[in-house]
Amino acid sequence: MSDIDLDSARPIFIAECRELLASMESALLRLPQEADKDRRDSVHGIFRAAHTIKGSAGIFGMEDIVSFAHAMESVLDHVRDGVLPIGDDLIALLLACADHLGQLVDSVAENQAQPDAELVHDARPLLAQLNQRLLAVRMQRSPGAGDAPQRKAPAAPRQTGADHWHISLRFGRDVLRFGMDPLSFLNYLQRLGRITTLVTLHGDVPLLDGLDPEACYLGFEVALESSAPLSAIEGTFKFVMDDCEVGILPPGSPVADHLTLMRERARGDPAELQRLRAIWLHCASVAPEALDEIAAAATKPAPAQPVPAPAAQPAAAPAPAPATVRARRTGPRPGEASTVRVDADKLDRLVDLVGELITASASATMAGRGLRSAALQEAHEALALLVQEVRDSALQLRMVKIGATFNRFHRVVYDAARDLGKDIALEISGEDTELDKSLVEKIADPLTHLVRNAMDHGIEPPALRLAAGKPAQGTIRLNAYHHSGSIVIEISDDGAGLSRERIIGRARSQRLLDPGREPSEAEVFALIFEPGFSTADAITSLSGRGVGMDVVKRNITALRGSVSLASRSGQGTTVTVRLPLTLAIINCFLIGVGGSVFVLPMDVVEECIDFIDPGANDYTELRGQVLPFIRLRRLFGVQDTPPRRQSLVVVGHGSQRFGLVVDRLLGETQTVIKPLARLFAHLRGISGSSILGSGEVALILDVAALADITRAAMVSRSPAAAAAEPVHQG
């Protein structure tokens, strides 16, 4: 493979390594809770991940990654054998090693060549710990016993019985280029049983002038003594199945199956069939008297029908069906998803173009209406439907499940619990909930802070939990679900909860609350998100410096989202984050105030009714419930005379409902969201802008900010009106 090919393949290598490291970390964190059988499967998966990373790095000549992954692989090999017990200390070491591999891979992603030399030097303490465990294994073994498994070399024909598997391997030319080591598959077979005979076939190796050093020309005939099932033996070759020929004959297979496999390997060459007969004499699990029949059959043409087992064959229990795997499968296997890796930048560019297409389509529709052509309007409507389908498909390409983000927190909780000396479990639900990939990337840091804050401030030490009648193990729950066109993420704990009195006292001491004022519960919990606010008595490695929660709110608000908090003393705290499903294109409802047009996300609009002005009040009654409202004219300082007839748009945000008083209802459309420039970042109630089909600029209303305004107005109004609070009941 040329240097150019390697350069183009390196991003694929980096992406694959990151996926393997993520699966390795997830499997390591599951080990303490798994049963023995599941634990063995997880250890095998961790070993395969380390081995694949080592092989892939070898293709690119990244020897530092190869050597480090090899040390991990050697330790994991002994774990698979049951020689090394897998305890908390070893899990912590392997997690640290996986982190270091991730840093090496990230360094390669930045340098596009070799890992950073300082990172390689930093690996020495980890390598020393791995080598200590390998040394301990050697010390446990009897003197003279090596690490490598012993293998018999047959000096004479073996009297085979019916207790061996026969495995016929022919590796494809490209397996070395794909980072696969043929010997590693043979070593893995040793874990399933004992290789009693191994014959290496090297007849296809060309002369030196025709030799490709990156190609594989080897084949193997293997006799394996094992009680493993067929699925386990087939699984050995799962990663190379598309690039090799594998024939597997179970113990007790009839002679006809051996003859069929031999003919398949010989490909019609009688001399090759005779040579294979000599090899079969050593390897095949066939009764000795049947070998002569195979030799005789070598000179006969292949029968039209499968050769039946001879009558003289000794009676035996029914043998398993032969498991000959045909050469080189093409296309996806049944049930296997066909996927293509696409650059995120290309998807972003596609969504941007679809957004421009929506704007152009709206302009064309308006122009068509002006011409009063029924045929043209019909064509534009068909075009608009197609554009909408293209939009939905393009956005769906960027939708990813939030489970990948949630699963990262297993490691966060594991590490933090060890640092804090607490016993904390993480429960995840709603991991299949989808949201825009750009949101996933931007929400990870705020969620990390909220989870760490819950572990530090929320979950009590085991002794305090037991004294309070709780289980010693605390629980943090992550949940996600769709609601009203948004994604809702809940971070909850069963810890001590928040003390209202303590928050008020700390707020007064920090002059965040006016003396003598009694805030509502919502206002008290909102203080948590004020800059510099903290109730921690001591600074820890996780929190307590009074920074972070305000940043969390600011980052979530920048995503057109909102964050709220609910807590009960002694029972726990829940933080609710609400985000839009996408940051690019939305279905929306247009409203007019004065000469301006504003945009509301369609998902929050519940109904539109005629507005009957109640006078000076900022709330009205809607079907027996109090409904606060905002006069957008007053909020945005529109000075001209309002029309005689106005409308009230009822909006839902979470569990809160409120109204917006507008001059005109302009109907539904689609729009592309454009961010506001920094000059307008201070505007309250505005989250972005959009360009309409007419070329006008429309401002997108920030529903979360408007909800805060109405909530504050409800709290500050007269006590008699405040008593009727069903506005929060939806």
Side-chain angles (χ1 to χ4, degrees):
M1 187 179 292
S2 68
D3 290 341
I4 296 177
D5 291 334
L6 283 175
D7 288 341
S8 62
R10 191 173 283 111
I12 299 175
F13 159 75
I14 292 168
E16 181 187 36
C17 285
R18 287 171 173 164
E19 290 176 2
L20 289 169
L21 289 170
S23 66
M24 180 188 294
E25 179 180 285
S26 179
L28 284 167
L29 293 172
R30 286 197 310 267
L31 285 177
Q33 289 82 35
E34 288 184 329
D36 289 343
K37 180 182 181 302
D38 295 333
R39 177 174 287 199
R40 285 194 298 271
D41 293 341
S42 293
V43 170
H44 284 307
I46 297 166
F47 175 87
R48 286 194 297 270
H51 177 76
T52 304
I53 291 173
K54 182 184 81 170
S56 300
I59 298 176
F60 293 89
M62 299 173 187
E63 295 302 324
D64 296 315
I65 295 180
V66 171
S67 60
F68 190 83
H70 178 72
M72 285 186 68
E73 183 185 40
S74 300
V75 170
L76 289 165
D77 200 15
H78 293 310
V79 173
R80 292 194 308 166
D81 290 342
V83 178
L84 268 178
I86 185 78
D88 288 343
D89 290 343
L90 183 54
I91 290 175
L93 173 59
L94 292 173
L95 283 170
C97 291
D99 288 343
H100 184 73
L101 271 179
Q103 292 174 355
L104 293 175
V105 171
D106 290 342
S107 177
V108 170
E110 294 175 2
N111 299 333
Q112 293 292 308
Q114 294 292 334
D116 187 82
E118 291 185 7
L119 285 176
V120 175
H121 183 271
D122 292 342
R124 292 183 179 180
L126 293 174
L127 287 171
Q129 294 184 60
L130 293 173
N131 289 329
Q132 285 177 3
R133 283 163 171 77
L134 294 174
L135 180 61
V137 171
R138 296 191 186 98
M139 296 294 291
Q140 291 175 11
R141 293 183 171 179
S142 58
D147 290 337
Q150 300 299 313
R151 182 176 296 159
K152 293 182 180 179
R158 178 174 59 83
Q159 297 298 310
T160 57
D163 58 346
H164 289 74
W165 294 80
H166 183 88
I167 303 172
S168 178
L169 293 172
R170 300 294 186 272
F171 284 99
R173 292 288 187 264
D174 294 328
V175 294
L176 297 178
R177 293 188 177 95
F178 295 154
M180 301 299 177
D181 179 4
L183 292 181
S184 66
F185 296 96
L186 301 177
N187 290 334
Y188 188 82
L189 285 176
Q190 286 279 72
R191 310 303 165 199
L192 300 178
R194 186 171 67 94
I195 294 179
T196 58
T197 307
L198 174 66
V199 177
T200 302
L201 306 177
H202 48 73
D204 290 340
V205 178
L207 297 176
L208 190 59
D209 56 352
L211 181 70
D212 182 352
E214 294 182 345
C216 179
Y217 302 94
L218 300 180
F220 300 93
E221 300 291 339
V222 183
L224 176 68
E225 188 179 71
S226 173
S227 60
L230 172 62
S231 59
I233 295 176
E234 282 186 322
T236 302
F237 308 101
K238 178 172 61 176
F239 296 108
V240 76
M241 189 66 73
D242 291 338
D243 297 288
C244 74
E245 298 176 7
V246 184
I248 304 174
L249 295 174
S253 295
V255 176
D257 293 338
H258 286 272
L259 179 58
T260 299
L261 183 57
M262 286 177 61
R263 287 185 181 279
E264 191 175 282
R265 291 290 183 258
R267 291 182 171 84
D269 185 349
E272 178 66 14
L273 192 60
Q274 286 286 3
R275 189 171 75 90
L276 291 176
R277 182 261 177 194
I279 294 172
W280 243 253
L281 186 67
H282 291 291
C283 295
S285 179
V286 185
E289 57 267 25
L291 293 174
D292 293 335
E293 182 165 348
I294 294 178
T299 59
K300 299 178 183 178
Q305 301 294 329
V307 177
Q313 182 77 10
T324 303
V325 182
R326 302 303 176 192
R328 231 178 251 279
R329 299 177 184 174
T330 58
R333 300 181 181 91
E336 182 181 280
S338 179
T339 59
V340 178
R341 290 183 184 272
V342 179
D343 254 351
D345 291 343
K346 292 182 179 179
L347 287 181
D348 293 341
R349 176 60 179 160
L350 174 62
V351 172
D352 288 343
L353 290 174
V354 171
E356 297 301 327
L357 180 61
I358 289 172
T359 303
S361 174
S363 299
T365 300
M366 293 184 66
R369 289 173 182 168
L371 294 175
R372 300 182 181 276
S373 168
L376 185 58
Q377 289 185 32
E378 185 177 344
H380 281 153
E381 288 176 1
L383 176 62
L385 289 175
L386 289 174
V387 169
Q388 183 174 351
E389 290 186 15
V390 171
R391 181 208 71 162
D392 293 341
S393 298
L395 291 180
Q396 194 62 36
L397 291 175
R398 294 209 320 187
M399 300 297 280
V400 297
K401 294 180 179 179
I402 200 171
T405 299
F406 277 4
N407 287 332
R408 299 179 191 175
F409 294 108
H410 284 292
R411 179 63 184 281
V412 174
V413 172
Y414 176 86
D415 289 341
R418 287 171 61 91
D419 292 342
L420 295 169
K422 297 179 180 180
D423 187 4
I424 303 175
L426 177 64
E427 295 182 1
I428 290 176
S429 57
E431 55 266 40
D432 291 335
T433 306
E434 291 186 330
L435 73 164
D436 195 295
K437 181 180 183 298
S438 59
L439 276 172
V440 169
E441 296 167 350
K442 295 173 181 176
I443 198 61
D445 286 343
L447 290 182
T448 299
H449 185 89
L450 291 173
V451 169
R452 290 164 69 93
N453 201 63
M455 289 186 289
D456 195 8
H457 290 307
I459 303 294
E460 315 96 320
L464 292 180
R465 292 181 62 86
L466 291 172
K470 296 181 178 181
Q473 185 182 67
T475 302
I476 290 178
R477 295 179 179 86
L478 290 176
N479 181 36
Y481 57 91
H482 287 150
H483 181 263
S484 299
S486 301
I487 180 172
V488 180
I489 304 172
E490 295 176 341
I491 306 97
S492 59
D493 64 74
D494 64 349
L498 296 174
S499 170
R500 172 188 170 93
E501 291 73 21
R502 188 175 183 185
I503 294 174
I504 293 175
R506 187 60 62 93
R508 294 195 195 283
S509 66
Q510 296 180 4
R511 298 183 179 178
L512 297 174
L513 196 62
D514 295 334
R517 183 188 170 199
E518 277 302 316
S520 66
E521 184 174 288
E523 287 181 304
V524 170
F525 292 144
L527 290 169
I528 298 294
F529 299 100
E530 289 295 322
F533 184 85
S534 175
T535 58
D537 293 324
I539 294 174
T540 70
S541 60
L542 296 185
S543 58
R545 297 182 183 275
V547 295
M549 293 300 281
D550 62 314
V551 177
V552 166
K553 183 175 182 179
R554 187 164 63 247
N555 290 343
I556 292 173
T557 302
L559 299 175
R560 294 191 295 112
S562 63
V563 57
S564 60
L565 186 149
S567 181
R568 289 189 177 182
S569 182
Q571 298 183 30
T573 302
T574 298
V575 179
T576 301
V577 177
R578 182 178 292 270
L579 296 165
L581 290 180
T582 178
L583 298 178
I585 303 168
I586 58 171
N587 288 325
C588 61
F589 189 76
L590 299 181
I591 54 178
V593 178
S596 302
V597 177
F598 296 94
V599 176
L600 270 173
M602 192 65 207
D603 297 318
V604 304
V605 177
E606 295 188 359
E607 59 181 314
C608 300
I609 59 177
D610 284 336
F611 176 63
I612 300 176
D613 197 334
N617 293 332
D618 56 0
Y619 58 91
T620 186
E621 182 181 348
L622 180 63
R623 290 187 287 276
Q625 291 188 337
V626 174
L627 181 75
F629 60 78
I630 297 176
R631 301 174 192 264
L632 292 184
R633 279 182 157 271
R634 182 185 301 168
L635 179 66
F636 296 126
V638 179
Q639 300 297 329
D640 60 359
T641 304
R644 294 181 58 186
R645 181 177 178 181
Q646 292 180 299
S647 298
L648 186 68
V649 180
V650 181
V651 173
H653 179 70
S655 60
Q656 185 177 357
R657 295 172 75 231
F658 59 96
L660 299 175
V661 180
V662 302
D663 294 349
R664 303 181 305 283
L665 304 177
L666 303 177
E668 300 179 37
T669 187
Q670 297 176 15
T671 190
V672 183
I673 299 173
K674 302 291 185 181
L676 287 174
R678 290 185 180 180
L679 179 63
F680 306 104
H682 66 285
L683 294 178
R684 192 178 185 193
I686 301 296
S687 62
S689 62
S690 179
I691 299 176
L692 303 178
S694 62
E696 295 179 75
V697 175
L699 297 177
I700 300 172
L701 296 178
D702 186 344
V703 179
L706 297 178
D708 290 341
I709 293 173
T710 58
R711 189 182 301 115
M714 287 290 288
V715 170
S716 62
R717 71 177 190 267
S718 67
E725 194 69 29
V727 63
H728 295 289
Q729 298 176 4

